[in-house]
Amino acid sequence: QVQLVESGGGVVQPGRSLRLSCAVSGFTFDNYGMDWVRQAPGKGLEWVAVISYDGSNKYYADSVKGRFTISRDNSKNTLYLQMNSLRVEDTAVYYCARDRYNYGQFDYWGQGTLVTVSS
Amino acid sequence: DIQMTQSPSSLSASVGDRVTITCQASQAISNYLNWYQQKPGQAPNLLIYGASNLETGVPSRFSGSGSGTDFTFTINSLQPEDIATYYCQQYANLPPLTFGGGTKVEIK
């Protein structure tokens, strides 16, 4: 069965960095684009970034552009989100999601990993 | 950016009621519109894609309609397990992919 498991969340000070990982199984990873979507505590969903199946195309929300980098290692079936210059407003649960459309249909999601940015 | 305006932000209905949620896009998006259900403490779950297509395994009491800028999501005969927050999301144009603000559905 399809599984997506995020890891790497935690508490970090403003201005510091963190890298999230999303390990997938149960499907052919390099056939699909992948996204990161976040949800601040008690708030709605915010799309963060998408990467194409082969890593050649990447798109970002304005709120993270220049600070976050999405990447993937198809040999390890793993998606990443490198988050630099973190801000308090980046505090959220971060979900990885499989994108079965180019782009924008999130048909499988991970359970999420909480990132807390606080001094 | 395409803005998605969802209404109402919350509603309370009785078991068996018909529930309707609307989503309006700030510009025409054809039928590039999805609906997700998010139960407390869980990840979202795709219910409807392409505005009106029911995802495999989703009960038929859920439905979607609309095209262009105005969309509707309906739950026919609300069930206790439908208590959740529902989100619309456009995928006509990126970046960014955008979600509506959500509708929290509660049982009266």
Side-chain angles (χ1 to χ4, degrees):
Chain A
Q1 71 281 21
V2 172
Q3 283 194 311
L4 295 82
V5 180
E6 301 94 339
S7 60
V11 180
V12 61
Q13 293 179 327
R16 303 299 291 266
S17 299
L18 207 59
R19 188 178 83 156
L20 305 183
S21 299
C22 172
V24 314
S25 59
F27 66 97
T28 304
F29 184 56
D30 56 11
N31 280 357
Y32 292 88
M34 296 292 296
D35 296 71
W36 288 97
V37 177
R38 69 184 181 182
Q39 187 169 37
K43 302 297 185 182
L45 300 169
E46 180 188 16
W47 173 79
V48 173
V50 63
I51 186 168
S52 60
Y53 69 99
D54 61 355
S56 61
N57 293 305
K58 305 175 185 181
Y59 301 96
Y60 298 91
D62 284 347
S63 58
V64 307
K65 195 179 301 181
R67 300 187 298 122
F68 289 12
T69 301
I70 190 171
S71 63
R72 64 191 297 160
D73 186 336
N74 286 347
S75 69
K76 295 183 178 179
N77 285 357
T78 303
L79 173 73
Y80 302 100
L81 185 68
Q82 177 66 44
M83 304 186 294
N84 298 332
S85 303
L86 281 161
R87 304 169 180 169
V88 171
E89 55 265 34
D90 294 320
T91 295
V93 173
Y94 285 74
Y95 297 100
C96 61
R98 189 177 84 166
D99 196 327
R100 72 177 183 200
Y101 190 87
N102 283 334
Y103 302 96
Q105 284 183 7
F106 314 131
D107 63 345
Y108 286 94
W109 298 63
Q111 84 289 350
T113 188
L114 176 61
V115 173
T116 302
V117 184
S118 173
S119 55
Chain B
D1 295 3
I2 298 176
Q3 311 301 322
M4 305 302 295
T5 303
Q6 213 176 312
S7 62
S9 57
S10 65
L11 66 88
S12 182
S14 300
V15 172
D17 281 355
R18 183 177 186 177
V19 168
T20 299
I21 299 169
T22 64
C23 185
Q24 185 171 58
S26 60
Q27 64 189 74
I29 59 170
S30 185
N31 65 336
Y32 296 110
L33 191 282
N34 301 320
W35 291 95
Y36 298 85
Q37 176 193 65
Q38 186 179 32
K39 296 183 178 181
Q42 297 185 17
N45 182 39
L46 178 64
L47 299 183
I48 302 285
Y49 64 95
S52 60
N53 300 289
L54 195 66
E55 184 72 357
T56 302
V58 173
S60 59
R61 64 180 179 274
F62 297 100
S63 65
S65 64
S67 184
T69 60
D70 296 303
F71 301 87
T72 300
F73 173 81
T74 301
I75 308 173
N76 279 302
S77 188
L78 183 69
Q79 300 300 303
E81 60 266 32
D82 300 335
I83 299 315
T85 300
Y86 293 85
Y87 295 92
C88 62
Q89 174 244 324
Q90 69 81 19
Y91 59 106
N93 196 17
L94 85 157
L97 298 167
T98 46
F99 290 89
T103 297
K104 186 174 184 180
V105 174
E106 298 177 321
I107 296 288
K108 190 180 297 181

